[in-house]
Amino acid sequence: MLEVSNWIMQNFSHASDAMLIFQDDQLLIMNDLAQNLLDQTDVDTNYLQQLVLTYLKRNSNESDDCFNCAIKNQLSDITIPLTINSDGKEPLSYSLIHRQLSSHENVYSITLKSADARERLDQLSVQHSLIQYINRAHEDERKQISEDLHDSIAQGIFTAIMGISRLVSQQTTASKTDFAQQGDLIQNQLREVLNEVKGMALDLRPSALDDLGLVPALKTLIQRLQENTGIQITFINRLKPDITIPNDIAIVIYRIAQEAMSNAIKHADTDEITLLLLTHDKGVSLEVIDTGKGFDVAKMNQPNGRSLGLLNMNERVKALNGVFTLESKIGEGTSVKVEFPVISAHLEVS
C-alpha cells in the first residue's frame, strides 16, 4: 500500500467534506464523514468509481474500458453533480470532485461536497460583500454631507454673518439706500443657504415619499431637476392602481431614479431623459433611459457620481431580491433598469 503523505494525514480527518482515497480500484482510506455518508445512504465506493469512469469516458476519446487508464489520463480535477437518497428523507445534493494525487502510482481522491453547505457559504459570502458595500455607501454619503455642510452651508452662513457685522458697524454712517441694499444682500444670501438646506433634506429623505408615495415623490424630483438643469425629463407611469409597493422597495426605486438621472445629467451630455415605471406579470420595474454619449460598461469599475453609485445600486437591489441591469454603448445612450419580482418584493393588493 502506498504511504499517504503527512500533509494529507494532517488534514484528512478534520476535513469538512467526505473524502475517500483510492489506489487503482482499491480504497485506501476514508474519513469519518465519508464513512457516515456511506452508512446512511445507498451509495457505495464502486458506484462512485463507476460514476467517475463514466464521466471520463464521455469526455475523452478512450475506447477501452480500463478504469486505471482513464484515471491516469485525467490529470486535472473534475466535478460531477450527484444526488443521494438518504433513509427515506429528501434527496441530498452533492458535488463529487475527483483529483489525481499521483499519476505514477494511480492514487486519486474522491471528495463529496454538500451542495447545501456550499450554498450557505455562498450566501454568507454575498451577505458579507453586501454589508461592505452598504457600509461604504453610508460613509460616502456622510462624506458628501460633510463636504456640503462645510463648502456650501457653513460658507454661506459665514458670509451672512460678515455682512451683518459690516451692517452693524456702518449703521450710523451708511446712507439709508446703502443700508437697505446691504440688508437685501444678506437676506438673499440666507435664502440661498435655506434652499441648500432644503435640497440636502430632499436628497436625504424626500418628504413626498413618506407623505404621498413613490409616484408623487418621483414627480417632485423630476420637476426640481428640470428647473435646475433645463433637461427634458419624461415620466411614463404605468403602475396598476390596485398595487401597493412596499416601503423598502419604493425607497430603492426612488434612489435608483435619483442616481441614474443625476449620472445622466453629470456625465451623459444629454438633453432628454425618460423614466418608465410599470407593473406587469413578473413584478414592478423602473427603467431610466438617456440619449447621451454612453460609455463602455466593461470598463466601468468604479462608482460614479454622488449617492450610492452604480455599483452600490446593484447591491441594494440584490438585497431585496431584485435584478439590476445596466446597458450602455458609446454614442447610443444608457439604460438603467431594476425589476422586483412579485413574490420576492411582497407586493400587496389593496
Side-chain angles (χ1 to χ4, degrees):
M1 177 184 295
L2 180 71
E3 183 178 352
V4 183
S5 69
N6 291 332
W7 181 89
I8 294 177
M9 291 302 299
Q10 290 174 359
N11 293 273
F12 191 73
S13 298
H14 303 290
S16 58
D17 302 306
M19 296 183 63
L20 306 93
I21 297 179
F22 296 85
Q23 183 176 22
D24 296 326
D25 58 352
Q26 297 297 316
L27 175 65
L28 298 181
I29 190 174
M30 60 181 167
N31 62 7
D32 292 341
L33 282 177
Q35 184 65 66
N36 292 336
L37 183 62
L38 295 181
D39 291 342
Q40 297 173 11
T41 66
D42 57 359
V43 174
D44 59 26
T45 57
N46 291 330
Y47 172 75
L48 297 177
Q49 289 177 305
Q50 289 301 318
L51 190 63
V52 173
L53 178 59
T54 301
Y55 180 91
L56 293 174
K57 285 183 176 180
R58 190 175 66 244
N59 291 276
S60 68
N61 293 322
E62 293 293 327
S63 59
D64 61 21
D65 58 355
C66 173
F67 180 80
N68 296 344
C69 299
I71 289 292
K72 287 181 179 179
N73 290 331
Q74 180 69 33
L75 298 180
S76 59
D77 295 353
I78 62 172
T79 301
I80 306 170
L82 175 64
T83 300
I84 299 175
N85 295 321
S86 175
D87 296 337
K89 299 178 182 179
E90 290 293 325
L92 304 175
S93 296
Y94 283 85
S95 292
L96 184 156
I97 301 173
H98 166 267
R99 178 171 299 165
Q100 191 74 29
L101 301 180
S102 171
S103 58
H104 176 70
E105 299 289 345
N106 191 29
V107 177
Y108 56 93
S109 67
I110 290 179
T111 302
L112 299 175
K113 288 183 173 289
S114 170
D116 294 334
R118 185 175 66 252
E119 183 177 349
R120 287 194 295 270
L121 289 175
D122 291 342
Q123 290 174 348
L124 289 174
S125 177
V126 170
Q127 290 174 0
H128 179 70
S129 299
L130 179 59
I131 290 172
Q132 287 183 325
Y133 271 111
I134 292 175
N135 288 339
R136 190 180 309 152
H138 287 169
E139 289 303 317
D140 289 343
E141 291 285 6
R142 292 186 182 98
K143 180 181 178 182
Q144 186 63 56
I145 293 170
S146 176
E147 291 175 353
D148 286 347
L149 289 173
H150 179 270
D151 297 339
S152 181
I153 308 302
Q155 292 297 328
I157 293 175
F158 177 76
T159 301
I161 291 173
M162 295 300 295
I164 293 173
S165 176
R166 179 183 177 187
L167 198 63
V168 171
S169 66
Q170 295 179 353
Q171 60 180 329
T172 58
T173 58
S175 65
K176 290 183 178 181
T177 301
D178 291 340
F179 196 87
Q181 288 178 344
Q182 184 65 22
D184 290 340
L185 180 61
I186 294 171
Q187 289 186 60
N188 290 333
Q189 290 171 339
L190 290 176
R191 288 192 185 97
E192 290 178 1
V193 172
L194 180 60
N195 289 332
E196 289 281 351
V197 172
K198 289 182 177 180
M200 288 179 62
L202 287 173
D203 285 342
L204 291 173
R205 183 70 179 189
S207 59
L209 189 58
D210 293 320
D211 299 336
L212 302 175
L214 177 60
V215 172
L218 288 174
K219 289 181 178 179
T220 301
L221 174 63
I222 290 170
Q223 181 180 357
R224 182 157 60 96
L225 291 176
Q226 286 188 136
E227 291 174 351
N228 293 338
T229 65
I231 294 176
Q232 176 64 36
I233 302 176
T234 302
F235 180 36
I236 302 174
N237 175 26
R238 293 292 184 268
L239 285 184
K240 295 179 181 178
D242 58 347
I243 292 293
T244 300
I245 301 176
N247 191 51
D248 52 354
I249 302 291
I251 291 172
V252 172
I253 289 177
Y254 179 89
R255 292 303 185 197
I256 297 294
Q258 183 182 40
E259 182 72 17
M261 287 191 293
S262 176
N263 285 338
I265 291 168
K266 292 178 182 178
H267 308 296
D269 190 23
T270 184
D271 55 6
E272 184 178 355
I273 300 173
T274 300
L275 265 73
L276 175 60
L277 180 66
L278 58 88
T279 47
H280 44 78
D281 293 340
K282 296 182 179 180
V284 58
S285 66
L286 168 80
E287 187 169 9
V288 182
I289 306 167
D290 70 66
T291 57
K293 59 185 180 182
F295 59 92
D296 186 345
V297 177
K299 294 181 180 180
M300 195 279 300
N301 56 12
Q302 295 293 331
N304 284 328
R306 187 178 169 178
S307 189
L308 298 176
L310 291 177
L311 296 181
N312 285 317
M313 279 188 198
N314 189 12
E315 294 305 316
R316 292 196 70 174
V317 172
K318 288 196 299 184
L320 296 174
N321 298 319
V323 178
F324 175 89
T325 306
L326 172 64
E327 296 180 353
S328 185
K329 291 184 180 179
I330 296 176
E332 298 184 16
T334 300
S335 169
V336 177
K337 183 177 181 179
V338 292
E339 181 175 341
F340 296 95
V342 172
I343 295 177
S344 296
H346 301 297
L347 295 184
E348 299 171 353
V349 178
S350 59

